[in-house]
Amino acid sequence: VRMSGLEADRKEVVALSARELVCRRGRRDDRFELRVDALDLFASEVLVILGPNGAGKSTLLRALAGLDRSLDRHAVRPGEGPVTLVFQRPAAFSGSVESNLRAALLGKRVTEQDRRRRIASALARFDIGHLARQDARTLSGGELRRLALARAFVLEPEVLLLDEPFDDLDAEGQRLLSLDLQQAIEDTGVAVAMVTHDLRRALLLADRIAVLEPGRLVQHGPCDDVLMRPDSPSIARTVGMINLAEGRVRRREEDMTWVEIEEGFEVPCSAALSLGARAWIGIRPEHLKLDVGRGDGRPIGKAVVESLVSDGLATVVTLRLRDRRFTTHLLSGRGLARRLRPGDPVSLAVRPDQVHARPL
C-alpha cells in the first residue's frame, strides 16, 4: 500500500486508526481474508472506499465499527467518541420517527433537555421534522435513509461509517441527500468512511480514496493522487481511468516522454521513463480531447467514432483506434456532441501532464 507524502504530513485529528488489520470469514475453501496494513480516518474528512464486488468493502466497515474482530483485537483504535455504522439496508423500529431517534439514545447518559435538543437537531438536519410523528414503518425509501442518518447523528458520533448511503435513490434524491450529508459533516466535524459503487457521487463528497482489491487495501491517499496516479491498471479502472494501453518508450524530448502504443501512434507523458522501456499509460476520459485546432493538447493520432451515448448532461463518445477502444466525454447538446456521428474520423489530443504512465 502506498501512502503519499502529502497524506503522511497531515496535521488533522485522527479519529480512528487501523494497523495490521486482518479479518477472516468462512472456513477452508470458503474462507475470505481481508488485510489492511494501515488506514486512518480524519475528523471532518470523507474517505470513500472503492473496489469490485467481493473485495471486502463492507467487511472493512464492519471491522472499523468493531463488529468484525481482527486477529489482533487492538488493530482498530477509535478515538474518544462514538463510532456509528449505517447499514446498506436501513430498517425502522416500530413507532414514530421521533421515537426511533429517542430509542437510539436509550442507555446513553444524556439529560432529557439534551435528548430533546439532539432529536430536534437531527430531524432538522435531514429535513424530516415534518415526519416526526409519522409511523417510521410507512416511510419511503428515501425518507428511511434520511431517518437512518438522523438516527446516527443523534448519537453525535466521532466516526460515521456509511454502507452505500445513496443506494436505490433516484438522481434528485441522491443530490439532495448528498448536500445535506455534506453540510452535516461540515457542521459536526465527524470523520466519515463511505462505501459506494457510484464513483461520480462519491467524488462530490470525498477528500480521500481507498481502493480495495479482493482481500487487501492496495492504494489510498488524497483524491487527486489516487485519481490521477493509480498504482496499477486495475486500480486505474476502479477510479475511472479507463483509457489504458501498454507500449514502449520510443523517444524523449526535454521534459516529455513518448510511449508508442501502436505503430505510428505515440502518446506523450511527463513521466521520466527509460528509453526502450515497456510501460503502461492511462488517460481519464475527461482528459482525452478531440483535436479541433484550439490547442487543447498535443496531437496523438486519428480514430473513428464508434458510438455516442448521452445522459442529458454528458455525452460518452467511444472511439476506435485500430483494435483499441478509447472513451472521451463531451457536454451534451452543444458543439461536437451535436455534430458527431458514428463513423466520423476524429483527431485526438492530450496534455502530457494529464497522461499517467508507469513502467511495466
Side-chain angles (χ1 to χ4, degrees), residues 152-288:
F153 272 90
V154 82
L155 297 170
E156 298 185 349
E158 183 176 9
V159 175
L160 178 64
L161 308 172
L162 303 175
D163 196 351
E164 299 285 4
F166 307 111
D167 200 26
D168 297 334
L169 296 181
D170 61 24
E172 181 65 4
Q174 290 184 21
R175 185 184 72 84
L176 294 174
L177 184 57
S178 63
L179 288 174
D180 287 343
L181 181 57
Q182 187 176 40
Q183 188 63 54
I185 294 166
E186 182 178 328
D187 291 344
T188 63
V190 64
V192 178
M194 178 173 66
V195 165
T196 180
H197 65 275
D198 187 339
L199 178 61
R200 186 166 63 175
R201 181 62 50 190
L203 295 182
L204 295 176
L205 293 169
D207 297 292
R208 295 185 302 132
I209 293 173
V211 180
L212 296 185
E213 291 184 351
R216 63 194 183 104
L217 175 64
V218 289
Q219 186 175 353
H220 70 289
C223 279
D224 286 349
D225 192 13
V226 180
L227 292 174
M228 296 300 298
R229 293 174 289 279
D231 283 348
S232 69
S234 61
I235 296 173
R237 292 186 192 93
T238 297
V239 300
M241 184 180 279
I242 56 176
N243 295 316
L244 299 169
E246 295 182 4
R248 189 177 298 277
V249 178
R250 291 303 187 191
R251 57 192 174 103
R252 300 190 62 178
E253 296 177 2
E254 297 179 352
D255 58 349
M256 275 194 301
T257 300
W258 294 79
V259 180
E260 185 181 55
I261 61 173
E262 293 275 1
E263 185 177 352
F265 196 103
E266 297 180 339
V267 179
C269 64
S270 55
L273 300 171
S274 301
L275 195 63
R278 296 282 299 169
W280 66 273
I281 66 161
I283 307 169
R284 299 191 65 81
E286 59 269 28
H287 294 155
L288 181 64

Side-chain angles (χ1 to χ4, degrees), residues 91-97 100 130-145 147:
F93 308 130
S94 61
S96 68
V97 166
N100 267 251
H130 62 292
L131 301 173
R133 300 190 183 283
Q134 183 171 325
D135 186 335
R137 293 169 297 181
T138 67
L139 297 179
S140 68
E143 291 167 345
L144 187 57
R145 290 198 175 277
L147 170 58

Side-chain angles (χ1 to χ4, degrees), residues 274-329:
S274 301
L275 195 63
R278 296 282 299 169
W280 66 273
I281 66 161
I283 307 169
R284 299 191 65 81
E286 59 269 28
H287 294 155
L288 181 64
K289 305 299 183 181
L290 300 186
D291 186 9
V292 292
R294 292 193 303 232
D296 286 337
R298 294 253 179 177
I300 59 173
K302 296 186 179 297
V304 174
V305 175
E306 188 170 85
S307 66
L308 301 96
V309 178
S310 172
D311 64 1
L313 296 176
T315 297
V316 178
V317 184
T318 302
L319 306 160
R320 179 173 285 280
L321 167 63
R322 298 178 188 172
D323 293 330
R324 300 180 187 274
R325 283 188 175 89
F326 282 174
T327 300
T328 187
H329 294 166

